[in-house]
Amino acid sequence: MEIGTAEPLEEPIEMKRRRASRSGGSSQSGNGGGGKDPGGDGGGGDDGPDSDDLSVTEPFRPGISRILAGFLLVVVLMTFGGLIAAYIVIATNNVAEWRPFALPIQVWISTALIITSSLTYHIAKTAVDNDSQLKAKKWFIVTTVIGAAFISSQILAWVELTARGLYMAGNPYAGFFFILTAVHAVHVIGGIAALGAILLRTWTPRASEMQLVRRRSLAQVVGWYWHFMGGLWIVLFVLLGFWK
């Protein structure tokens, strides 16, 4: 009888314990799963507001983008430094195959275009710094168009040389001209892509102070690259046109 009376008592007690544990677990998961808390603020627990506050108040740090831009410029400088050094060595050896020629008019036009693009970019960058969105957008568009015109003038220069019968084979000077201008044109196309990215960012008025900081930082690093390409072209122009 003692065993028979103990078993019916243990089973309800165990069932009550299981029901209590289940109800407690479900209430905890309900409170922690993103429902409204007793205060009625509708937040998803403590993590939600904290993460939102971090996304809003965390300052933008442009140091990484500046480091990457500086590293890219060093790589470009080393690439062209090797090509220019090879050009100078061969030009000073006076080999019989070295036959310079007059630069086509398109090269002079390219020089004027890329100098102008540096000026227009500076105007756009100043407008970004002054938070003048419409002016910045207008001058970034102008700079992008001038950059595309520069690439077009380069293509016309190559067409002009091939029409003269000047190719890379048989004339090291012609070979260096095509290589140096082509490699530079590829890098300018990369700069035009970067201009497109900053143009998209400045297409509409800024929505926050953080957005303005990002625009200024992007305009700065893209400006480094664009002005570097302009200065590099001046070096190539002087080298190909006057150091033959």
Side-chain angles (χ1 to χ4, degrees):
M1 294 298 293
E2 292 179 358
I3 297 176
T5 56
E7 288 180 349
L9 291 174
E10 290 180 357
E11 184 175 358
I13 293 173
E14 185 66 24
M15 292 177 65
K16 288 180 181 180
R17 290 176 179 175
R18 292 178 181 177
R19 284 198 298 268
S21 62
R22 291 176 182 174
S23 62
S26 61
S27 63
Q28 290 176 359
S29 61
N31 291 333
K36 294 183 178 181
D37 59 5
D41 58 356
D46 293 339
D47 294 339
D50 290 344
S51 59
D52 291 341
D53 292 340
L54 286 174
S55 63
V56 174
T57 60
E58 185 179 1
F60 172 67
R61 304 182 185 277
I64 295 179
S65 60
R66 293 173 181 172
I67 292 174
L68 291 176
F71 177 76
L72 176 61
L73 293 180
V74 170
V75 172
V76 174
L77 181 62
M78 292 176 63
T79 301
F80 280 93
L83 292 173
I84 291 173
Y87 175 93
I88 294 174
V89 169
I90 297 178
T92 54
N93 284 337
N94 297 321
V95 294
E97 295 82 4
W98 186 265
R99 297 188 300 273
F101 50 80
L103 297 179
I105 188 63
Q106 291 86 355
V107 176
W108 295 83
I109 296 174
S110 297
T111 305
L113 287 172
I114 204 163
I115 292 175
T116 304
S117 71
S118 288
L119 296 176
T120 57
Y121 190 95
H122 176 73
I123 297 174
K125 169 66 167 54
T126 303
V128 171
D129 292 339
N130 295 332
D131 197 16
S132 180
Q133 179 262 332
L134 290 176
K135 184 178 180 181
K137 181 175 72 172
K138 179 182 72 174
W139 286 103
F140 278 131
I141 292 175
V142 173
T143 305
T144 305
V145 171
I146 296 176
F150 174 84
I151 297 298
S152 300
S153 66
Q154 291 294 94
I155 295 174
L156 292 176
W158 301 332
V159 172
E160 171 66 20
L161 292 180
T162 55
R164 296 184 192 177
L166 298 171
Y167 304 97
M168 294 180 62
N171 186 353
Y173 176 80
F176 272 107
F177 179 90
F178 281 107
I179 292 173
L180 288 172
T181 56
V183 174
H184 183 270
V186 170
H187 286 82
V188 171
I189 291 174
I192 293 174
L195 280 173
I198 191 172
L199 182 59
L200 290 176
R201 283 186 176 270
T202 58
W203 195 262
T204 57
R206 52 111 174 174
S208 63
E209 189 67 25
M210 187 63 62
Q211 197 174 60
L212 178 60
V213 174
R214 292 177 182 272
R215 290 180 180 182
R216 288 172 175 171
S217 177
L218 182 60
Q220 183 183 47
V221 296
V222 174
W224 290 351
Y225 184 86
W226 193 258
H227 295 314
F228 184 82
M229 287 296 107
L232 184 59
W233 174 257
I234 299 300
V235 173
L236 297 180
F237 174 74
V238 173
L239 194 69
L240 294 169
F242 303 98
W243 193 331
K244 301 180 181 182

